[in-house]
Amino acid sequence: RAYAVMYDLSGLPKGGVDRVRLDWIRLRNQMHVTDDSAYLKHEGRPLVSVWGVGFSDRGKPREYTLEECRDLVAFLKEDGCSVMLGVPTQWRDGGRDATTDPLFHEILEMADVVSPWTVGRYRDEVTVVSHSEKYWQPDESWCEERSLDYFPVVFPGFSWYHLKGGELGQIPRRKGAFLWSQIAEAKRSGSDMIYVAMFDEVDEGTAIFKCVNNPPSGDGLPFLDYEGLPSDYYLKLVGEAGRLLRGERDLAEGQPEW
Protein backbone atom coordinates (compact mmCIF):
# COMPACT_ATOMS: atom_id res chain seq x y z
CA ARG A 1 0.00 0.00 0.00
CA ALA A 2 1.05 3.55 -0.66
CA TYR A 3 -0.42 6.96 0.12
CA ALA A 4 -0.09 10.56 -1.03
CA VAL A 5 -1.48 13.91 0.07
CA MET A 6 -4.30 15.51 -1.90
CA TYR A 7 -5.44 19.07 -1.25
CA ASP A 8 -8.97 19.94 -2.39
CA LEU A 9 -9.10 23.70 -2.87
CA SER A 10 -12.90 23.79 -3.26
CA GLY A 11 -14.50 26.32 -0.94
CA LEU A 12 -11.35 28.30 -0.20
CA PRO A 13 -11.71 32.10 -0.22
CA LYS A 14 -9.50 34.43 -2.20
CA GLY A 15 -6.03 34.23 -0.68
CA GLY A 16 -6.81 30.89 0.94
CA VAL A 17 -4.51 28.74 -1.19
CA ASP A 18 -1.52 29.81 0.91
CA ARG A 19 -2.88 27.55 3.67
CA VAL A 20 -1.88 24.62 1.49
CA ARG A 21 1.71 25.80 1.23
CA LEU A 22 1.95 26.23 5.00
CA ASP A 23 0.43 22.81 5.62
CA TRP A 24 2.80 21.10 3.20
CA ILE A 25 5.79 22.75 4.88
CA ARG A 26 4.57 21.33 8.20
CA LEU A 27 3.97 17.86 6.78
CA ARG A 28 7.33 17.67 5.08
CA ASN A 29 9.63 19.51 7.46
CA GLN A 30 8.09 18.64 10.83
CA MET A 31 6.32 15.33 10.22
CA HIS A 32 8.68 14.12 7.46
CA VAL A 33 5.88 12.32 5.60
CA THR A 34 7.90 12.01 2.40
CA ASP A 35 10.62 10.11 4.28
CA ASP A 36 8.12 7.29 4.77
CA SER A 37 8.84 4.42 2.38
CA ALA A 38 5.07 4.10 1.80
CA TYR A 39 4.71 7.68 0.55
CA LEU A 40 3.86 7.55 -3.16
CA LYS A 41 6.51 8.67 -5.64
CA HIS A 42 5.90 9.65 -9.25
CA GLU A 43 8.93 9.75 -11.54
CA GLY A 44 11.05 9.40 -8.41
CA ARG A 45 9.58 12.43 -6.63
CA PRO A 46 6.95 12.67 -3.85
CA LEU A 47 3.51 13.15 -5.38
CA VAL A 48 1.20 15.92 -4.16
CA SER A 49 -2.26 16.41 -5.64
CA VAL A 50 -3.88 19.83 -5.95
CA TRP A 51 -7.56 19.36 -6.74
CA GLY A 52 -9.91 22.09 -7.95
CA VAL A 53 -7.80 24.05 -10.43
CA GLY A 54 -9.49 25.71 -13.41
CA PHE A 55 -13.11 25.16 -12.43
CA SER A 56 -15.88 27.53 -13.43
CA ASP A 57 -18.96 27.15 -11.23
CA ARG A 58 -22.06 28.08 -13.23
CA GLY A 59 -19.93 30.34 -15.38
CA LYS A 60 -18.20 32.05 -12.47
CA PRO A 61 -14.57 31.50 -11.44
CA ARG A 62 -13.93 30.32 -7.90
CA GLU A 63 -12.90 32.79 -5.22
CA TYR A 64 -9.32 31.56 -5.00
CA THR A 65 -7.44 32.67 -8.10
CA LEU A 66 -5.47 30.97 -10.84
CA GLU A 67 -2.51 33.12 -9.84
CA GLU A 68 -2.64 31.51 -6.39
CA CYS A 69 -2.81 28.06 -7.98
CA ARG A 70 0.16 28.82 -10.22
CA ASP A 71 2.23 29.98 -7.27
CA LEU A 72 1.33 26.84 -5.31
CA VAL A 73 2.31 24.51 -8.15
CA ALA A 74 5.58 26.42 -8.60
CA PHE A 75 6.30 26.08 -4.86
CA LEU A 76 5.65 22.33 -4.86
CA LYS A 77 7.82 21.81 -7.92
CA GLU A 78 10.64 23.84 -6.35
CA ASP A 79 10.28 21.62 -3.28
CA GLY A 80 11.10 18.60 -5.43
CA CYS A 81 7.57 17.21 -5.80
CA SER A 82 5.59 15.80 -8.67
CA VAL A 83 2.21 17.52 -8.92
CA MET A 84 -1.12 16.06 -9.95
CA LEU A 85 -3.87 18.54 -10.86
CA GLY A 86 -7.56 17.72 -10.38
CA VAL A 87 -9.29 19.64 -13.14
CA PRO A 88 -12.76 19.96 -14.75
CA THR A 89 -14.00 17.64 -17.51
CA GLN A 90 -13.62 20.28 -20.23
CA TRP A 91 -10.18 21.43 -19.10
CA ARG A 92 -8.63 21.07 -22.56
CA ASP A 93 -10.98 23.35 -24.54
CA GLY A 94 -12.75 25.33 -21.80
CA GLY A 95 -16.46 25.94 -21.40
CA ARG A 96 -19.19 24.63 -19.10
CA ASP A 97 -17.27 23.47 -16.00
CA ALA A 98 -13.89 24.91 -17.03
CA THR A 99 -12.37 28.37 -17.22
CA THR A 100 -11.17 29.74 -20.55
CA ASP A 101 -8.43 31.83 -18.93
CA PRO A 102 -5.13 31.07 -20.77
CA LEU A 103 -3.30 31.06 -17.43
CA PHE A 104 -5.02 27.75 -16.69
CA HIS A 105 -3.16 25.99 -19.51
CA GLU A 106 0.12 27.51 -18.35
CA ILE A 107 -0.48 25.89 -14.96
CA LEU A 108 -1.35 22.56 -16.59
CA GLU A 109 1.99 22.49 -18.38
CA MET A 110 3.79 23.09 -15.08
CA ALA A 111 2.30 19.92 -13.61
CA ASP A 112 3.15 16.23 -14.04
CA VAL A 113 -0.27 14.54 -13.96
CA VAL A 114 -3.67 15.78 -15.19
CA SER A 115 -6.85 14.23 -13.79
CA PRO A 116 -10.23 15.51 -15.06
CA TRP A 117 -13.28 14.97 -12.83
CA THR A 118 -15.97 13.11 -14.77
CA VAL A 119 -18.31 11.71 -12.12
CA GLY A 120 -21.87 12.07 -13.41
CA ARG A 121 -20.81 13.02 -16.95
CA TYR A 122 -22.12 9.75 -18.47
CA ARG A 123 -24.62 7.16 -17.25
CA ASP A 124 -24.32 3.85 -19.12
CA GLU A 125 -21.97 1.78 -21.24
CA VAL A 126 -22.98 3.54 -24.47
CA THR A 127 -22.26 7.04 -23.16
CA VAL A 128 -18.99 5.82 -21.63
CA VAL A 129 -17.76 5.06 -25.17
CA SER A 130 -18.92 8.42 -26.52
CA HIS A 131 -17.28 10.21 -23.58
CA SER A 132 -14.02 8.41 -24.25
CA GLU A 133 -14.10 9.41 -27.92
CA LYS A 134 -14.88 13.04 -27.12
CA TYR A 135 -12.65 13.52 -24.07
CA TRP A 136 -10.37 10.72 -22.92
CA GLN A 137 -8.72 9.94 -26.25
CA PRO A 138 -7.95 13.54 -27.29
CA ASP A 139 -7.06 14.39 -23.68
CA GLU A 140 -4.55 11.53 -23.68
CA SER A 141 -3.01 12.80 -26.92
CA TRP A 142 -2.81 16.38 -25.62
CA CYS A 143 -0.97 15.22 -22.51
CA GLU A 144 1.36 12.93 -24.41
CA GLU A 145 2.41 15.77 -26.69
CA ARG A 146 3.42 17.76 -23.60
CA SER A 147 5.06 14.91 -21.65
CA LEU A 148 2.27 14.91 -19.06
CA ASP A 149 0.65 11.83 -17.58
CA TYR A 150 -3.12 11.41 -17.87
CA PHE A 151 -5.19 10.08 -14.97
CA PRO A 152 -8.86 9.50 -15.95
CA VAL A 153 -11.56 9.12 -13.29
CA VAL A 154 -13.99 6.18 -13.21
CA PHE A 155 -16.87 5.58 -10.81
CA PRO A 156 -19.19 2.62 -10.03
CA GLY A 157 -22.52 4.49 -10.02
CA PHE A 158 -24.10 7.62 -8.66
CA SER A 159 -26.89 8.80 -6.36
CA TRP A 160 -27.66 12.08 -4.64
CA TYR A 161 -30.94 10.87 -3.17
CA HIS A 162 -29.97 11.49 0.45
CA LEU A 163 -27.59 14.38 -0.08
CA LYS A 164 -29.57 16.51 -2.52
CA GLY A 165 -32.89 14.76 -3.08
CA GLY A 166 -32.00 13.30 -6.46
CA GLU A 167 -33.18 10.00 -7.85
CA LEU A 168 -32.12 6.94 -5.83
CA GLY A 169 -29.44 5.23 -7.91
CA GLN A 170 -29.81 7.71 -10.75
CA ILE A 171 -26.74 6.24 -12.50
CA PRO A 172 -27.17 2.49 -11.93
CA ARG A 173 -24.22 0.27 -11.05
CA ARG A 174 -25.52 -2.67 -13.12
CA LYS A 175 -23.64 -5.14 -10.92
CA GLY A 176 -20.26 -3.67 -11.80
CA ALA A 177 -20.84 -3.54 -15.57
CA PHE A 178 -20.92 0.26 -15.60
CA LEU A 179 -17.62 0.54 -13.72
CA TRP A 180 -15.89 -2.16 -15.75
CA SER A 181 -16.97 -0.52 -19.03
CA GLN A 182 -15.14 2.66 -17.95
CA ILE A 183 -12.05 0.74 -16.89
CA ALA A 184 -11.95 -1.09 -20.22
CA GLU A 185 -12.52 2.10 -22.23
CA ALA A 186 -9.80 3.96 -20.31
CA LYS A 187 -7.42 1.13 -21.11
CA ARG A 188 -8.39 1.25 -24.80
CA SER A 189 -7.78 5.00 -24.86
CA GLY A 190 -4.18 4.41 -23.77
CA SER A 191 -4.34 5.04 -20.02
CA ASP A 192 -1.89 3.19 -17.82
CA MET A 193 -3.36 4.50 -14.55
CA ILE A 194 -6.90 5.12 -13.32
CA TYR A 195 -8.39 7.11 -10.44
CA VAL A 196 -11.35 5.21 -8.93
CA ALA A 197 -13.92 7.51 -7.32
CA MET A 198 -14.57 7.07 -4.49
CA PHE A 199 -13.62 4.62 -1.77
CA ASP A 200 -16.12 5.76 0.86
CA GLU A 201 -18.49 8.39 -0.60
CA VAL A 202 -21.75 6.73 0.37
CA ASP A 203 -23.53 10.09 0.16
CA GLU A 204 -22.92 10.16 -3.60
CA GLY A 205 -23.50 6.45 -4.15
CA THR A 206 -19.95 6.01 -5.47
CA ALA A 207 -18.50 3.97 -2.59
CA ILE A 208 -16.43 0.86 -3.38
CA PHE A 209 -15.64 -0.14 0.21
CA LYS A 210 -17.31 -3.18 1.78
CA CYS A 211 -21.06 -2.70 2.11
CA VAL A 212 -23.71 -5.25 3.08
CA ASN A 213 -26.88 -5.68 1.07
CA ASN A 214 -29.14 -4.83 3.99
CA PRO A 215 -27.54 -1.70 5.46
CA PRO A 216 -29.27 -0.17 8.48
CA SER A 217 -31.08 3.07 7.73
CA GLY A 218 -33.02 5.50 9.92
CA ASP A 219 -36.77 6.05 9.59
CA GLY A 220 -37.09 3.31 6.99
CA LEU A 221 -35.41 5.38 4.28
CA PRO A 222 -34.32 3.49 1.15
CA PHE A 223 -30.62 2.91 0.73
CA LEU A 224 -28.52 1.64 -2.16
CA ASP A 225 -26.97 -1.80 -1.79
CA TYR A 226 -24.65 -3.91 -3.96
CA GLU A 227 -27.46 -5.69 -5.82
CA GLY A 228 -26.83 -8.96 -4.04
CA LEU A 229 -23.10 -9.00 -4.83
CA PRO A 230 -20.55 -9.92 -2.13
CA SER A 231 -19.59 -7.00 0.12
CA ASP A 232 -16.02 -6.92 -1.25
CA TYR A 233 -17.02 -7.20 -4.92
CA TYR A 234 -15.95 -3.70 -5.95
CA LEU A 235 -12.64 -3.97 -4.13
CA LYS A 236 -11.93 -7.16 -6.07
CA LEU A 237 -13.08 -5.52 -9.30
CA VAL A 238 -10.68 -2.60 -9.00
CA GLY A 239 -7.95 -5.10 -8.10
CA GLU A 240 -8.59 -6.72 -11.47
CA ALA A 241 -8.46 -3.25 -13.03
CA GLY A 242 -4.92 -3.00 -11.69
CA ARG A 243 -4.06 -6.31 -13.34
CA LEU A 244 -5.52 -5.03 -16.60
CA LEU A 245 -3.41 -1.87 -16.49
CA ARG A 246 -0.27 -3.91 -15.76
CA GLY A 247 -0.91 -6.22 -18.70
CA GLU A 248 -1.66 -9.21 -16.47
CA ARG A 249 -5.22 -9.47 -17.82
CA ASP A 250 -6.52 -9.17 -21.38
CA LEU A 251 -9.33 -6.81 -22.37
CA ALA A 252 -10.95 -9.60 -24.35
CA GLU A 253 -11.65 -11.48 -21.12
CA GLY A 254 -14.37 -8.96 -20.30
CA GLN A 255 -15.76 -8.19 -16.83
CA PRO A 256 -14.37 -10.57 -14.18
CA GLU A 257 -16.72 -13.12 -12.66
CA TRP A 258 -16.42 -14.82 -9.30
Side-chain angles (χ1 to χ4, degrees), residues 24-226:
W24 180 248
I25 290 172
R26 179 180 63 87
L27 289 178
R28 190 158 200 191
N29 296 346
Q30 296 181 26
M31 300 183 67
H32 305 287
V33 294
T34 58
D35 294 340
D36 186 348
S37 60
Y39 195 90
L40 188 65
K41 306 293 193 303
H42 183 75
E43 303 294 347
R45 301 181 298 275
L47 179 69
V48 180
S49 177
V50 180
W51 201 96
V53 179
F55 281 81
S56 176
D57 298 328
R58 296 179 179 85
K60 296 181 180 179
R62 295 188 170 182
E63 291 186 29
Y64 56 89
T65 66
L66 286 174
E67 287 78 10
E68 291 178 70
C69 295
R70 178 197 57 201
D71 293 347
L72 175 61
V73 172
F75 161 75
L76 291 169
K77 297 287 290 187
E78 289 168 5
D79 199 39
C81 299
S82 290
V83 177
M84 169 193 146
L85 294 182
V87 299
T89 299
Q90 297 196 7
W91 61 275
R92 185 168 37 86
D93 297 325
R96 293 193 66 182
D97 61 350
T99 180
T100 56
D101 190 320
L103 179 56
F104 177 37
H105 276 220
E106 291 181 31
I107 299 169
L108 288 168
E109 297 196 36
M110 294 168 63
D112 301 275
V113 184
V114 176
S115 182
W117 189 249
T118 52
V119 173
R121 301 301 193 270
Y122 40 81
R123 60 178 300 109
D124 53 34
E125 290 87 328
V126 173
T127 49
V128 166
V129 173
S130 60
H131 182 91
S132 175
E133 292 172 349
K134 185 175 182 179
Y135 295 104
W136 285 349
Q137 294 173 30
D139 283 359
E140 186 85 46
S141 297
W142 192 97
C143 288
E144 187 174 346
E145 290 170 3
R146 293 160 178 80
S147 299
L148 295 169
D149 288 312
Y150 188 61
F151 198 20
V153 171
V154 302
F155 63 104
F158 189 78
S159 180
W160 262 352
Y161 178 83
H162 293 285
L163 186 66
K164 294 194 175 182
E167 179 185 350
L168 183 66
Q170 64 197 71
I171 300 181
R173 289 175 177 251
R174 291 177 34 78
K175 293 193 171 184
F178 178 61
L179 176 58
W180 189 257
S181 71
Q182 297 167 74
I183 292 166
E185 202 57 44
K187 175 69 173 178
R188 289 190 189 97
S189 72
S191 297
D192 57 6
M193 55 184 177
I194 292 172
Y195 177 168
V196 181
M198 297 288 295
F199 178 73
D200 62 347
E201 286 198 343
V202 177
D203 59 340
E204 293 190 359
T206 61
I208 64 165
F209 70 171
K210 288 185 178 182
C211 184
V212 297
N213 284 298
N214 58 339
S217 60
D219 300 323
L221 290 171
F223 206 86
L224 286 175
D225 57 32
Y226 283 177

